[in-house]
């Protein structure tokens, strides 16, 4: 009945086109090859086959990314033409459209509001009853999202004000500019993903030079994809500027402020049992898990990014997901989106990955506070980018960086990260998590919602 942006994200990473092997199959085969490689002395031919196989796996994922963004961009262009904006789902916002794109619902977890909108001709009126009906239809399909706010009944539309805006080429032009910025942001997300994959390859014993060569190759493909997307956007801009509209179209929308008591800290209460359990299991402070969850998704259980990453703690199936599967279940395979949309699974995976960062990747950092700062930054950008802050030669070796980190005070480590991390988003991420951690101190995490 409806068309949600969910349909444009892969339901599971195994859902790669039939022309290539599924991610699960790829990792099963990779696991077998790695087991054989680690227990015997491989011949030059075997090494060549192994490297070729890994290259095929990277190509398969690259093909998936290309297909995903082709679908995403096509849908985005439709939204720009019909709505004059680029409102789409992201980590903190859930967006659902009707099948014919004539109406939509936006649930903003950061602003604690819900917006129901309908697109129509300017000479037609939209009644309160029509908006109420749309609200009920969307909620019926997306109950899991709205339940986070403990909203049982339809809000009183008589106490809200319906607003209108006109859809014209001026609004579309602004949307195209926003789309360009969106492509830049998505490119950076993918870039950080490639860098984390490089770190993983090195930690798994890959030769540094080989891993770096593969990173450059993937980076080049990603840059080509970005340029292709930008060229397509330019064509859309040219079309927008010359399209004549047969009639004036407007958007009527009602903004519904969700219960004030159900802010992010209150929404966290839904997950305290799981968080405290996993925090104890993996020796990670509950306040850190909750602060990461707040920053990653604003406690949106259906959060998704275009890496792709899924759920409350934004787990990337093919990096953190594989690490956690190896650690907990001895499986060399990614986690699927449906699996990560189950809150218990997602919180387990996020807490386990923080443990992996703390106890494995960053274990040579001696001071617990310094290690915590690096762990938070690495959750967002990878251990290699953390290492580069401290290695004068730009090396991604965290072992080498640890020697320098151990010579610094925690305050100087934090200052170095704030100044030297390669992405502004990661710098802001670290600051946000540390600020939000104060909201979720261990003694606060254990109290009931009624005491907050």
């Amino acid at each position: 009945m409806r068309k949600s942006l969910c349909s444009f994200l892969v339901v599971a990473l195994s859902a790669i086109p039939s022309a290539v092997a599924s991610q699960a199959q790829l990792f099963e085969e990779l696991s077998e090859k790695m087991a054989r490689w680690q227990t015997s002395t491989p011949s030059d031919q075997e090494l060549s086959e192994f490297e070729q196989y890994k290259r095929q796996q990277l190509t398969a994922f690259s093909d998936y990314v290309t297909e995903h963004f082709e679908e995403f961009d096509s849908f985005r262009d439709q939204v720009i033409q019909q709505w004059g904006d680029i409102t789409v789902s992201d980590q903190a916002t859930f967006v659902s459209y009707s099948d014919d794109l004539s109406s939509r619902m936006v649930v903003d977890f950061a602003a604690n509001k819900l917006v129901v909108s309908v697109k129509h001709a300017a000479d037609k009126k939209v009644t309160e009853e029509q908006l109420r009906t749309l609200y009920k239809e969307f909620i019926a399909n997306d109950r899991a999202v709205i339940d986070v706010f403990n909203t049982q009944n339809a809000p009183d539309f008589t106490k809200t004000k319906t607003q209108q805006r006109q859809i014209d080429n001026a609004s579309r032009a602004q949307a195209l500019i926003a789309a360009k910025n969106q492509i830049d942001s998505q490119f950076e997300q993918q870039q950080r993903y490639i860098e984390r994959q490089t770190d993983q390859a090195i930690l798994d014993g890959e030769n540094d030079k080989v891993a770096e060569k593969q990173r450059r190759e993937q980076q080049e493909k990603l840059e080509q994809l970005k340029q292709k997307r930008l060229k397509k956007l330019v064509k859309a801009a040219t079309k927008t500027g010359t399209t004549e509209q047969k009639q004036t179209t407007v958007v009527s929308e009602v903004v519904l402020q969700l219960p004030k008591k159900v802010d992010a800290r209150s929404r966290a209460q839904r997950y305290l049992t799981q968080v405290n359990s996993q925090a104890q299991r993996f020796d990670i402070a509950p306040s850190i898990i909750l602060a990461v969850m707040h920053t990653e998704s604003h406690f949106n259980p259906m959060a998704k990014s275009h890496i792709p990453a899924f759920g409350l703690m934004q787990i990337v199936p093919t990096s953190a997901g594989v690490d956690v599967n190896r650690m907990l279940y001895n499986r060399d395979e990614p986690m699927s989106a449906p699996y990560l949309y189950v809150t218990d699974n997602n919180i387990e995976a996020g807490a386990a990955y923080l443990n992996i960062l703390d106890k494995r990747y960053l274990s040579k950092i001696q001071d617990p506070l310094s290690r915590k700062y690096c762990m938070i930054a690495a959750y967002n950008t990878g251990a290699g980018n953390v290492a580069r802050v401290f290695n004068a030669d730009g090396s991604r070796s965290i072992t080498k960086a640890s020697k320098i980190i151990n010579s610094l005070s925690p305050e100087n480590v934090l200052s170095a990260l704030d100044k030297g991390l390669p992405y502004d988003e990661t710098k802001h991420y670290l600051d946000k998590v540390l600020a939000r951690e104060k909201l979720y101190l261990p003694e606060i995490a254990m109290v009931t919602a009624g005491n907050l």
Side-chain angles (χ1 to χ4, degrees):
M1 175 183 153
R2 65 189 177 85
K3 188 172 189 177
S4 170
L5 274 182
C6 290
S7 63
F8 291 91
L9 284 173
V10 67
V11 172
L13 282 183
S14 58
I16 296 175
S18 58
V20 297
S22 70
Q23 286 289 328
Q25 291 171 331
L26 288 171
F27 274 97
E28 282 181 15
E29 294 172 16
L30 178 58
S31 179
E32 293 174 3
K33 286 180 178 289
M34 286 185 69
R36 184 179 66 185
W37 179 54
Q38 292 169 351
T39 56
S40 63
T41 302
S43 66
D44 291 341
Q45 181 180 356
E46 286 176 324
L47 281 175
S48 177
E49 290 175 353
F50 183 62
E51 294 301 327
Q52 184 179 5
Y53 177 81
K54 288 193 296 182
R55 189 177 298 274
Q56 290 172 346
Q57 185 261 327
L58 288 171
T59 299
F61 185 77
S62 178
D63 290 344
Y64 155 73
V65 171
T66 299
E67 180 177 332
H68 162 67
F69 280 120
E70 284 178 355
E71 287 187 322
F72 176 85
D73 290 348
S74 294
F75 183 75
R76 178 207 61 210
D77 291 346
Q78 291 183 61
V79 172
I80 290 174
Q81 288 299 321
Q82 296 194 37
W83 286 82
D85 61 27
I86 59 163
T87 302
V88 294
S89 291
D90 59 24
Q91 291 93 316
T93 309
F94 178 84
V95 184
S96 184
Y97 286 86
S98 60
D99 286 338
D100 60 0
L101 297 185
S102 65
S103 60
R104 73 184 178 198
M105 178 182 72
V106 178
V107 183
D108 189 331
F109 283 76
N112 228 46
K113 66 181 182 181
L114 183 151
V115 182
V116 178
S117 308
V118 60
K119 177 172 60 70
H120 58 94
D123 58 357
K124 293 184 178 180
K125 291 185 178 181
V126 173
T127 66
E128 174 192 323
E129 186 59 34
Q130 286 175 301
L131 289 172
R132 188 189 301 272
T133 299
L134 280 174
Y135 172 86
K136 291 179 179 179
E137 289 177 355
F138 279 116
I139 291 306
N141 287 295
D142 299 306
R143 189 74 244 181
V145 175
I146 199 63
D147 276 349
V148 174
F149 296 90
N150 297 320
T151 300
Q152 302 299 323
N153 302 311
D156 186 355
F157 281 80
T158 62
K159 295 182 179 180
T160 60
K161 183 178 180 180
T162 301
Q163 54 194 34
Q164 275 192 353
R165 66 175 176 85
Q166 184 173 326
I167 302 174
D168 53 24
N169 278 339
S171 64
R172 294 185 181 95
Q174 290 297 316
L176 288 163
I177 294 172
K180 191 271 181 188
N181 295 332
Q182 185 183 66
I183 291 173
D184 289 339
S185 175
Q186 292 167 347
F187 171 78
E188 184 177 297
Q189 288 179 356
Q190 289 289 335
Q191 191 172 28
R192 292 204 307 274
Y193 168 79
I194 290 172
E195 290 165 352
R196 288 199 294 271
Q197 291 294 82
T198 302
D199 297 339
Q200 180 62 58
I202 293 173
L203 285 165
D204 285 344
E206 180 69 270
N207 179 277
D208 287 19
K209 292 183 179 179
V210 172
E212 181 60 24
K213 180 182 177 182
Q214 291 175 343
R215 186 198 67 78
R216 288 195 301 268
E217 290 174 352
Q218 291 298 105
Q219 179 74 27
E220 184 178 343
K221 289 181 180 179
L222 187 60
E223 181 65 44
Q224 291 171 353
L225 176 61
K226 176 184 176 181
Q227 295 305 319
K228 179 180 178 181
R229 296 181 68 199
L230 289 173
K231 288 179 181 179
K232 181 180 178 183
L233 191 64
V234 169
K235 290 182 179 179
T238 303
K239 180 180 179 181
T240 297
T242 58
T243 300
E244 293 185 8
Q245 304 302 315
K246 296 180 179 179
Q247 60 180 348
T248 302
T249 304
V250 299
V251 172
S252 292
E253 61 187 21
V254 60
V255 179
L256 309 171
Q257 198 65 42
L258 293 162
K260 292 182 179 179
K261 292 183 179 180
V262 193
D263 59 9
R265 194 171 69 167
S266 298
R267 293 199 297 273
Q269 294 291 320
R270 297 171 62 90
Y271 310 110
L272 287 187
T273 299
Q274 300 102 308
V275 167
N276 284 317
S277 174
Q278 299 299 343
Q280 183 176 12
R281 177 185 178 190
F282 293 110
D283 193 24
I284 299 292
S287 56
I288 293 179
I289 296 175
L290 289 165
V292 167
M293 196 183 300
H294 184 156
T295 306
E296 289 288 345
S297 68
H298 289 267
F299 302 100
N300 172 8
M302 298 302 292
K304 49 196 172 294
S305 72
H306 296 282
I307 297 176
F310 300 97
L312 291 165
M313 298 193 75
Q314 286 294 277
I315 303 300
V316 180
T318 52
S319 57
V322 173
D323 271 356
V324 173
N325 263 339
R326 287 173 177 169
M327 173 187 179
L328 299 182
Y329 306 112
N330 196 30
R331 295 201 302 259
D332 255 324
E333 60 184 46
M335 293 176 170
S336 70
Y339 180 87
L340 290 171
Y341 280 139
V342 176
T343 57
D344 285 0
N345 298 340
N346 197 281
I347 294 170
E348 177 189 57
Y353 189 60
L354 285 168
N355 175 280
I356 290 169
L357 290 171
D358 185 49
K359 303 296 192 287
R360 181 190 173 197
Y361 291 2
L362 308 172
S363 62
K364 294 183 179 180
I365 300 174
Q366 296 168 356
D367 188 278
L369 189 55
S370 294
R371 194 165 63 250
K372 182 180 86 169
Y373 294 151
C374 292
M375 175 184 70
I376 293 169
Y379 193 93
N380 178 264
T381 196
N385 281 333
V386 170
R388 291 181 62 198
V389 172
F390 301 95
N391 292 330
D393 61 356
S395 167
R396 304 185 69 83
S397 170
I398 195 65
T399 298
K400 183 177 179 181
S402 296
K403 297 176 183 178
I404 301 169
I405 294 171
N406 290 336
S407 70
L408 302 173
S409 68
E411 292 75 17
N412 285 335
V413 170
L414 179 59
S415 177
L417 290 169
D418 280 336
K419 293 176 182 177
L421 285 167
Y423 301 107
D424 287 340
E425 180 187 315
T426 305
K427 297 174 187 177
H428 298 153
Y429 181 89
L430 178 58
D431 292 339
K432 287 176 182 178
V433 171
L434 291 174
R436 287 164 178 167
E437 185 189 7
K438 297 174 183 177
L439 297 173
Y440 306 109
L441 293 174
E443 61 268 28
I444 295 178
M446 296 299 294
V447 300
T448 64
N451 291 330
L452 284 177

